[in-house]
């Protein structure tokens, strides 16, 4: 049987892969299509994407923005196999001592530079007619964000859960902007190598099948679902309440239909355009990129950018199979 | 009154003096902790000893709900295995390289500059490449330790080899020894205790590399756990883990020191 | 046996030895004296093969001396001549093992038993029979040198080179070592070259005494000229007067008889 | 044929032998790079030398579009400043502590165990506390280096102080010296070159701590840039930066070695 | 001047010195000989103040000897007696500086000029006037010991302690050192205690010779009994026979006259 490797890192929307792997669901689906799938957890998110980009994995979890700026910009033709969720408050901007986003002017903002946090900040500033030039961005590692926030010289941070909820729980802290204000723009996907997928449709089917079975298992209040989420909570280093809180600010697509709705909508295209523009402005599309459309992005509603250089594809085929119950 | 430089404490007061700073540290810590918890009972930076005790109890003596393992011991085992393997490889490679460059003029000419340059490269900066080359499994973590430590050990062993009086090499030759015999009977046995010493010296960097590697790609290990709970700033787990690492480092050092004494009675 | 013909040795600009010529018969005991740094050790190294003459020839039985140390020429240095990580017995056994081909030079079975017998006999001869399992660092300086000598002799070299072997020993211990060396020299029919700083010692032990010195000297360029053999004496011929003159030349103390008798 | 252990290459062939491995490495790299770029011209893992050259050109000789600074030099300056300050603090503290514990029996009894234990603590694991205590600015980066390096230097200096023959201390006392004079005239001057040596030895760890600190919270610096561009896997920037760090480390080492030779002619 | 009364010194179970009693007048030159490890250095350390007697009393001018080294008692060891990081001149100047109170012991102005003069005069006396700006590692062993002696003498100590000061020197150089020590001893009216392994040296230099040895000996427990002064001789009284007997006792070589004359 053909062997494949996928990787994921610790984040609320990707945790289900831990369950899928641990409960044997992945194996079950792999067996069904007579392939082997190895699921690998990688602690460091960026490292997981780099590994995927370098070819060490066939598929990997990441956000839409990182999918564009790392693998796609690195020349790896990739397909969004599963749209798992979008961040609906999971990423946010926190200020100390004020609940007004405008007060951010002139402050040092601690965030992981060039990540979705950076993008969120850019969108937030736009909403109050400011630009990045109005603040000073300080690159800060995500693992240390909570500790850093405790110091006096840090007055504003942009980060994601679970760090976000740790930070907002601290006194005198106000979440002034979050991803719920730009719904559907920060999307968590399972990205797969287009060539591999084309050559091995069985892999796509097995992964999608496993994913939605896992989704079904963890949704709701049945004892099985509670047990499943407790398992995920512990795997991400928190407890059930903590994990459920993270889920609350995540728009999980428990069914393929929900995911398809976003995938096939016009908004996806607009979102990707805005992401591409942001990325281009920050030099993330590579030095050869003359404009934001240098890398072509294919969506069901059309192609953004150069049609000759399509490297990122939103392809609903396999999710559609799942929706149609044809797996 | 004696001059300060001549004033030596008795054995008992020396012990007391040695313990004093630790006691002071503990007192300062609990005062700081109390003060912060007073203001904000949910403060996580300086947990009380009771909170740390709870955390240890949970990690070390209750099976994980998720996997049924005792996380603390599982982490310890994984980390020690990686560290041990990495140091073992580094020591073996370092010995071979250092012995050759130290004893063979031809090897020295060929490899000494390379080893010097490699020893200056910061291995952390090369992590991405390392992970690509060695994959993300145990190999890459062991490899980071090995790559980080080998040049240091190789250079130390080279220096030590050069320190062995050339008289001994000449003497061995006048007794008819060939190069292989000089290596196996004269140089190697004399370098083993020095190798252990140099493993002891580089063990600190070994821990650093281990923790860094586990932070990036791992699913267990002491470094992994620290970085995992760092997102929630669970200092009640981090501090006991740091203490435990310190203790392990101390015990390993002690073990190696004793081994050296026992195995090589002629050394020092 | 050894023919030294017009040997010169220079290190870069530094002329160490110049026009050294001599010939030595089997069984002679040659002692070498001379000021510090005049090239005695260098001369010994050429006999040993770790240095080669810059010009001139150094023949052993008519053949050029091999340019590497080998088991035909034993050596004892002032220090570091034994292996610190081996016991006394292992030090001597190693000497036999190294004659084997192979990587480890360890002895097994009959060969080992034979070597063990030889080694113990030799250690008895040098008076170390009670210290077989001690490590060198547990021995006194004198015992260590005895061990070095035993080790050098196990393989029956034809030539024994001694570079200030007793330089680091207390005078009290030297006397015993002298007896030992003389006995072994006779018994094993060795040709001995021994460097020493102590003229008394040189006279007491040698059958032949070489004094190394510079004949030409340029005060502005002390390295421009090298040393050579300025005296080549058969020891038994030397009278008291000559001895005292040499002693003064080398700046050595007059024995205390003049004071106390 | 001489025994291998006696075979020494001539000066010229020694040089050639020394360069050989570097040339081989370069060749292997360009073969690997070509192979990958052949398959995917946008591949980022092993950039070609031309790509790296472009990246350097862009970073070092063209002002940044965003800030107008020459990023490469800005990074270098920041990192060297932090490293320099950190090492300076570590050296000063290490000297004071090591000198005291090495020379004063009372200080040794009181602090030697503490220093030993602290030297075993992995400082990376304590970063959160460090940030709280020192804030997020330059101080915490310098502090991480200082905290990571000081115990190593202190222990080394203690060892070196103990190695100074006690005869010298006794002799100074027979000449009437008091404790302060023994410190300032006998011990301190003899320890300075050893301090420089131990700074050289610990510089590697210094770089490690610097890179780690810059990776965590910074707006410039060599480590910052490497970890930032790691986000989009710009190995064409990372590799020249690593090379540059290696070169800087080499130059710093050389500088310290020469300073030691020049300033302390009596040393070694 | 010095009264030693029934002094014992033990390290744990190891009895090193036992019931040592003697008294020494100002200006005597006492040489100490004895087997290795018998406690000669320990005895010197008690005079110096770095060790204290386990029992018994050690009086200097009727007062207990201070339990720390000070400038009344100078010392020269076999090695490491000079400061390697100071030039020859600085080494001697430091001796004067250390007498100042203060933290650095550096000299300024007139005091410095005065000290400079004294130091140079003393260095001339010991024959180092040409090496003022050299570092100790550039000096030969003999010159280093000269420097150590000059340094010890600058502050005019009453007592000079020498622990095998010439043990590491070539015999050729020793003779000069002997002359120097004797000259300085007379000139500076010192009381000297000198440990040596060389009986010749002990006789040549001392006015009084102490032999340290154990009188009681338990072969099963060699550490149970300590050494004491077994001979206390005024050197001028010793005859040839007695000398030769002692020499044999200490196992030292017979001078070569019997061989060559
Ligand atoms: N490998 C070398 N390279 C350069 N010069 C050397 C080398 N070996 C010895 N010399 C020089 O050769 C000269 C003679 O040295 P050698 O060791 O033979 O003297 P020596 O007579 O044995 O002195 P000593 O009595 O002190 O042992 C010295 O000036 C020394 O500096
Ligand atoms: N600090 C110490 N602690 C324990 N034992 C000691 C100490 N110093 C010396 N000794 C012991 O005291 C004995 C005498 O030593 P000492 O150095 O006085 O001998 P010595 O006569 O000077 O010998 P040598 O001629 O070798 O210099 C030795 O057995 C030694 O082991
Ligand atoms: Mg010599
Ligand atoms: Mg002694």
């Amino acid at each position: 049987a053909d062997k494949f490797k996928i990787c994921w890192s610790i984040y609320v929307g990707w945790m289900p892969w831990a369950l899928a792997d641990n409960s044997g669901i992945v194996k079950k689906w792999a067996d069904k299509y007579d392939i082997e799938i190895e699921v690998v957890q990688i602690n460091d998110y960026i490292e997981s994407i780099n590994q995927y980009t370098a070819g060490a994995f066939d598929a990997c979890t990441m956000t839409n923005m990182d999918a564009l700026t790392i693998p796609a910009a690195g020349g790896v033709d990739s397909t969004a196999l599963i749209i798992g969720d979008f961040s609906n408050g999971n990423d946010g901007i926190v200020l100390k001592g004020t609940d007004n986003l405008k007060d951010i002017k002139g402050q040092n903002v601690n965030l992981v530079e060039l990540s979705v946090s950076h993008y969120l900040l850019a969108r937030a500033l736009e909403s109050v007619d400011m630009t990045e030039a109005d603040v000073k961005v300080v690159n800060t590692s995500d693992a240390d964000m909570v500790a850093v926030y405790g110091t006096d010289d840090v007055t504003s941070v942009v980060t994601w859960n679970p760090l976000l909820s740790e930070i907002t729980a601290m006194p005198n802290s106000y979440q002034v902007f979050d991803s719920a204000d730009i719904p559907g723009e920060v999307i968590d996907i399972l990205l797969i190598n287009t060539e591999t997928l084309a050559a091995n449709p069985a892999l796509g089917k097995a992964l999608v099948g496993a994913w939605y079975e896992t989704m079904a298992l963890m949704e709701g209040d049945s004892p099985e679902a509670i047990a499943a989420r407790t398992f995920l909570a512990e795997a991400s280093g928190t407890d059930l309440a903590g994990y459920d809180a993270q889920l609350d600010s995540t728009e999980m697509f428990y069914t393929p239909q929900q995911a398809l709705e976003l995938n096939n909508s016009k908004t996806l295209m607009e979102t990707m355009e805005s992401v591409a523009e942001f990325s281009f402005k920050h030099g993330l599309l590579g030095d050869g990129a003359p404009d934001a459309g240098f890398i072509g992005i294919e969506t069901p509603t059309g192609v953004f950018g150069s049609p000759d250089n399509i490297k990122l594809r939103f392809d609903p085929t396999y999710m559609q199979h799942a929706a149609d119950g044809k797996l | 009154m004696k001059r300060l430089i001549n004033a030596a404490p008795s054995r008992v007061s020396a012990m007391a003096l040695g313990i004093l700073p630790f006691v002071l540290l503990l007192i300062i810590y609990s005062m700081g902790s109390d003060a912060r918890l007073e203001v904000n009972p949910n403060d996580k930076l300086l947990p009380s000893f009771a909170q740390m005790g709870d955390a240890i109890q949970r990690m070390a003596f209750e099976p994980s709900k998720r996997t049924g393992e005792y996380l603390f011991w599982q982490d310890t085992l994984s980390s020690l295995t990686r560290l041990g393997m990495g140091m073992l490889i580094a020591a073996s490679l370092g010995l071979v390289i250092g012995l050759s460059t130290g004893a063979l003029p031809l090897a020295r000419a060929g490899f000494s500059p390379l080893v010097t340059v490699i020893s200056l490269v910061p291995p952390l900066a090369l992590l991405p490449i390392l992970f690509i080359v060695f994959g993300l499994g145990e190999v890459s973590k062991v490899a980071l330790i090995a790559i980080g430590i080998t040049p240091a050990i190789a250079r130390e062993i080279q220096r030590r080899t050069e320190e062995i009086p050339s008289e001994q090499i000449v003497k061995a030759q006048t007794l008819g020894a060939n190069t292989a015999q000089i290596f196996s009977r004269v140089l190697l046995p004399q370098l083993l205790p020095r190798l252990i010493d140099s493993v002891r010296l580089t063990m600190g960097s070994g821990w650093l590399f281990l923790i860094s590697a586990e932070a990036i790609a791992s699913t267990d290990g002491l470094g992994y756990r620290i970085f995992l709970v760092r997102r929630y700033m669970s200092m009640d787990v981090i501090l006991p883990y740091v203490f435990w690492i310190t203790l392990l480092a101390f015990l390993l050092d002690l073990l190696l020191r004793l081994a050296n004494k026992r195995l090589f009675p002629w050394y020092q | 046996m050894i023919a030294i013909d017009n040997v010169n040795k220079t290190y870069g600009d530094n002329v160490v030895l110049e026009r050294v010529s001599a010939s030595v018969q089997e069984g002679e005991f040659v002692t070498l004296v001379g000021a510090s740094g005049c090239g005695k050790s260098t001369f010994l190294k050429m006999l040993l093969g770790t240095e080669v003459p810059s010009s001139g020839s150094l023949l052993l039985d008519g053949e050029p001396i091999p340019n590497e140390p080998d088991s035909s020429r034993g050596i004892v240095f002032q220090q570091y001549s034994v292996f610190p990580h081996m016991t006394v017995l292992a030090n001597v056994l190693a000497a036999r093992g190294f004659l084997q081909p192979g990587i480890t030079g360890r002895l097994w079975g009959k060969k080992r038993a034979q070597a063990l017998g030889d080694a113990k006999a030799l250690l008895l001869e040098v008076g170390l029979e009670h210290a077989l399992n001690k490590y060198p660092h547990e021995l006194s300086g004198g015992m260590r040198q005895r061990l070095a000598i035993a080790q050098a002799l196990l393989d029956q070299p034809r030539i024994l080179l001694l570079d200030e072997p007793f330089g680091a020993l207390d005078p009290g211990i030297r006397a015993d070592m002298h007896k030992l060396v003389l006995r072994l020299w006779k018994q094993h029919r060795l040709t001995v070259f021994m460097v020493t700083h102590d003229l008394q010692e040189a006279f007491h032990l040698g059958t032949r005494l070489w004094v190394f010195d510079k004949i030409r000297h340029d005060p502005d360029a002390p390295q421009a000229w090298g040393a050579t053999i300025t005296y080549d004496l058969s020891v038994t011929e030397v009278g008291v007067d000559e001895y005292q003159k040499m002693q003064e030349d080398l700046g050595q103390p007059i024995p205390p008889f003049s004071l106390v008798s």
Side-chain angles (χ1 to χ4, degrees), chain A, chain B, chain C:
Chain A
D2 291 330
K3 286 186 185 166
F4 301 97
K5 287 171 78 181
I6 73 165
C7 59
W8 63 279
S9 49
I10 290 186
Y11 177 70
V12 51
W14 300 322
M15 289 311 299
W17 284 112
L19 187 61
D21 185 30
N22 203 271
S23 61
I25 294 177
V26 170
K27 176 146 185 3
K28 190 181 102 188
W29 283 87
D31 288 346
K32 177 169 177 186
Y33 289 98
D34 194 24
I35 55 177
E36 278 178 40
I37 301 175
E38 190 185 340
V39 180
V40 178
Q41 178 200 333
I42 299 180
N43 216 17
D44 187 89
Y45 170 56
I46 287 305
E47 197 52 48
S48 71
I49 304 178
N50 283 347
Q51 291 280 326
Y52 165 77
T53 308
F57 290 93
D58 301 300
C60 184
T61 57
M62 65 193 78
T63 67
N64 53 335
M65 175 177 152
D66 291 317
L68 173 65
T69 58
I70 308 177
V76 179
D77 192 332
S78 299
T79 299
L81 182 67
I82 300 170
I83 294 193
D85 67 271
F86 68 80
S87 169
N88 194 15
N90 237 340
D91 298 75
I93 303 177
V94 180
L95 296 187
K96 263 185 200 164
T98 167
D99 57 1
N100 188 350
L101 174 59
K102 287 189 173 145
D103 292 333
I104 204 172
K105 196 174 171 79
Q107 294 196 14
N108 279 348
V109 184
N110 291 79
L111 49 74
V112 178
E113 233 178 290
L114 309 182
S115 70
V116 287
S117 295
H118 205 159
Y119 176 72
L120 182 71
L121 175 70
R123 297 282 283 130
L125 291 172
E126 259 172 42
S127 73
V128 289
D129 294 326
M130 283 192 258
T131 65
E132 255 192 86
D134 293 311
V135 296
K136 182 149 193 258
V137 166
V138 179
N139 188 36
T140 307
S141 125
D142 51 337
D144 297 287
M145 200 63 81
V146 183
V148 158
Y149 186 76
T151 68
D152 286 340
D153 34 350
V154 172
T155 52
S156 64
V157 301
V158 188
T159 188
W160 55 81
N161 267 324
L163 319 162
L164 185 63
S165 53
E166 293 288 330
I167 287 173
T168 45
M170 292 193 199
N172 202 24
S173 305
Y174 301 91
Q175 187 163 325
V176 293
F177 192 90
D178 60 44
S179 50
D181 298 323
I182 50 166
E185 289 197 29
V186 178
I187 306 169
D188 297 317
I189 55 190
L190 178 72
L191 198 71
I192 192 165
N193 188 300
T194 305
E195 269 175 47
T196 311
L197 182 62
N200 305 281
L203 175 62
K205 289 178 187 166
L207 288 172
V208 172
W211 175 258
Y212 286 110
E213 182 175 341
T214 310
M215 286 290 106
L217 177 61
M218 64 182 274
E219 188 188 13
D221 291 323
S222 66
E224 293 80 23
I226 299 283
R229 292 208 302 278
T230 308
F231 171 87
L232 296 180
E234 193 175 333
S236 55
T238 181
D239 52 22
L240 181 61
Y243 187 66
D244 279 344
Q246 293 177 31
L247 276 178
D248 286 345
S249 50
T250 308
E251 189 63 40
M252 281 309 283
F253 297 142
Y254 289 104
T255 63
Q257 287 79 6
Q258 293 167 312
L260 283 167
E261 193 180 321
L262 176 63
N263 195 68
N264 298 338
S265 70
K266 192 78 188 157
T267 10
L268 178 69
M269 173 101 157
E270 285 159 16
T271 298
M272 288 319 294
E273 184 175 347
S274 128
V275 167
E277 231 118 53
F278 170 85
S279 304
F280 173 69
K281 244 190 352 217
H282 288 84
L284 300 183
L285 298 185
D287 311 307
D291 58 56
F294 173 65
I295 293 169
I297 303 169
E298 185 187 75
T299 71
T301 54
V303 171
F304 170 76
S306 157
D308 306 330
N309 190 29
I310 293 181
K311 293 292 179 197
L312 182 58
R313 303 165 197 268
F314 288 87
D315 179 356
T317 314
Y318 291 85
M319 287 186 288
Q320 192 62 56
H321 284 328
D324 301 345
K326 286 201 282 188
L327 293 173
Chain B
M1 263 305 287
K2 281 197 172 190
R3 292 186 191 99
L4 198 56
I5 207 166
N6 293 327
S10 74
R11 189 177 271 217
V12 175
S13 45
M15 287 252 295
L17 268 175
I19 293 171
L20 191 67
F22 293 99
V23 175
L24 283 179
L25 276 184
L26 279 187
I27 292 176
I28 292 175
Y29 180 88
S30 30
M31 277 168 43
S33 165
D34 286 354
R36 284 188 75 104
L37 288 172
E38 185 89 4
V39 178
N40 172 9
N42 288 323
D43 181 74
K44 292 185 151 186
L45 183 69
L46 302 180
S48 69
F49 291 110
Q51 288 171 322
M52 289 195 258
D54 286 350
I56 299 175
Q57 168 69 27
R58 206 171 61 240
M59 307 289 292
F61 303 110
E62 288 169 15
S64 148
K65 284 175 217 132
R66 183 180 157 212
T67 57
E69 282 158 350
Y70 293 83
L71 291 180
F72 181 80
W73 303 111
Q74 173 66 25
D75 288 341
T76 306
L77 185 71
S78 304
S79 287
L80 284 184
T81 311
R82 287 168 196 146
L83 184 68
M85 298 255 299
M87 294 305 291
L88 198 73
I89 294 175
S92 319
L93 279 179
L95 180 66
V96 170
I97 298 173
L99 188 54
S100 318
T101 55
L104 301 178
L106 284 173
R108 174 161 357 166
F111 292 103
S112 196
L114 183 68
V115 173
T116 307
V117 168
I118 290 183
S119 75
L120 294 169
V121 177
L124 282 188
L126 290 180
L127 263 181
I129 297 186
L130 222 68
F131 282 124
I132 306 286
V133 175
F134 293 106
L136 275 170
E138 294 302 288
V139 185
S140 59
K141 283 152 235 162
V142 172
L144 176 66
I145 300 174
I147 290 177
I149 303 292
T150 302
I153 293 189
R155 293 184 77 191
E156 174 76 6
I157 292 294
Q158 175 179 341
R159 244 193 314 273
R160 297 279 168 234
T161 308
E162 287 167 355
E163 267 174 27
I164 291 182
S166 64
E167 280 89 341
Q168 288 183 25
I169 317 284
V170 171
K171 176 91 181 206
Q173 295 186 58
T174 65
L175 302 177
N178 58 34
T179 300
Q181 288 170 349
I182 293 176
F183 268 71
S184 71
R185 299 293 304 279
V186 180
L187 298 176
L188 189 63
Q190 290 196 61
L191 287 171
L192 286 181
R194 294 171 170 98
L195 180 66
I196 290 185
D197 270 351
S198 107
V199 165
R200 284 179 50 213
L201 276 179
T202 51
M203 189 73 88
S205 309
W207 278 104
L208 266 181
F209 291 128
L210 175 73
I211 291 176
S212 308
E214 286 184 344
I216 287 183
S218 189
T219 52
D220 59 4
L222 299 167
Y224 166 78
R225 193 72 50 197
I226 288 179
F227 272 76
L228 181 67
V229 304
R230 203 151 120 182
R231 293 165 212 224
Y232 309 94
M233 219 168 89
S234 299
M235 297 304 289
D236 56 338
V237 174
I238 295 182
L239 288 182
Y241 263 70
V242 169
F243 177 79
W244 176 238
I245 291 177
T246 308
L247 186 68
L248 286 176
F250 178 78
L251 290 178
L252 277 178
D253 191 70
L254 190 71
L255 195 79
L256 289 175
R257 214 150 20 119
L258 289 182
N260 235 359
K261 230 186 201 156
R262 178 66 61 91
L263 295 176
F264 309 103
W266 49 267
Y267 181 60
Q268 274 179 351
Chain C
M1 177 164 94
I2 293 173
I4 304 154
D5 185 24
N6 207 12
V7 162
N8 292 280
K9 178 72 196 177
T10 57
Y11 289 112
D13 283 349
N14 182 4
V15 182
V16 178
L17 292 171
E18 227 188 321
R19 293 191 241 166
V20 179
S21 298
S23 84
V24 176
Q25 300 305 311
E26 186 120 32
E28 283 196 87
F29 195 129
V30 184
T31 53
L32 292 75
V33 298
S36 194
C38 74
K40 306 179 295 295
S41 296
T42 304
F43 181 78
L44 235 53
K45 281 183 198 157
M46 291 193 295
L47 289 177
L48 187 64
T50 57
E51 292 283 354
V52 285
S54 304
S55 70
S57 74
L58 199 56
L59 305 181
L60 172 65
D61 296 330
E63 299 282 315
I65 275 202
N67 67 352
E68 282 191 302
D70 61 32
S71 57
S72 69
R73 290 154 293 162
I75 185 145
V76 174
F77 298 102
Q78 180 170 359
Q79 313 186 58
Y80 309 124
S81 304
V82 296
F83 303 123
H85 59 293
M86 298 183 188
T87 60
V88 166
L89 189 60
N91 255 291
V92 180
L93 275 181
R96 179 64 50 85
F98 286 153
L99 291 182
Q100 310 288 110
I103 289 176
T104 67
R106 287 206 182 272
L107 296 162
W108 304 103
K110 227 193 266 168
K111 273 190 185 162
R112 185 177 156 82
Q114 165 83 30
L116 214 57
D118 292 358
K120 282 186 179 161
L122 198 56
L123 284 169
L124 182 68
E125 236 178 274
V126 301
L128 286 177
E129 69 278 12
H130 297 305
L132 296 184
N133 292 315
K134 290 203 167 162
Y135 285 101
H137 74 99
E138 300 170 291
L139 304 178
S140 69
M143 288 164 87
R144 233 168 1 236
Q145 292 302 77
R146 283 165 194 270
L147 174 59
I149 294 171
Q151 196 182 36
L153 292 184
L154 186 76
D155 298 338
Q156 315 250 0
R158 295 175 60 199
I159 302 170
L160 182 61
L161 306 169
L162 305 170
D163 195 350
E164 302 186 41
F166 314 133
L169 304 185
D170 291 339
I173 297 159
R174 288 194 188 188
D176 283 348
M177 298 300 291
H178 292 168
K179 280 187 214 140
L180 176 72
V181 166
L182 287 176
R183 192 164 36 122
L184 292 172
W185 164 56
K186 285 182 189 138
Q187 199 167 316
H188 295 263
R189 298 161 192 283
L190 297 162
T191 307
V192 178
F193 291 83
M194 169 165 161
V195 174
T196 173
H197 267 110
D198 186 341
L199 199 54
Q200 270 182 0
E201 195 172 83
F203 270 94
H204 180 51
L205 294 177
T207 58
R208 189 167 170 188
L209 174 77
W210 289 353
V211 180
F212 278 76
D213 206 353
K214 301 193 179 189
I215 4 182
R216 297 179 292 180
H217 207 82
D218 181 343
D220 294 331
Q223 305 199 324
W225 306 112
T228 189
I229 300 175
T230 52
Y231 285 83
D232 181 351
L233 309 165
S234 187
V235 169
T236 40
E237 294 162 9
V238 182
V240 175
D241 289 356
E242 204 163 353
Y243 175 78
Q244 288 195 336
K245 189 181 164 308
M246 282 175 57
Q247 229 173 3
E248 271 165 37
D249 280 1
L250 284 167
Q252 298 204 353
I254 315 291
F257 289 90
S258 44
L259 279 175
V260 295
S261 62

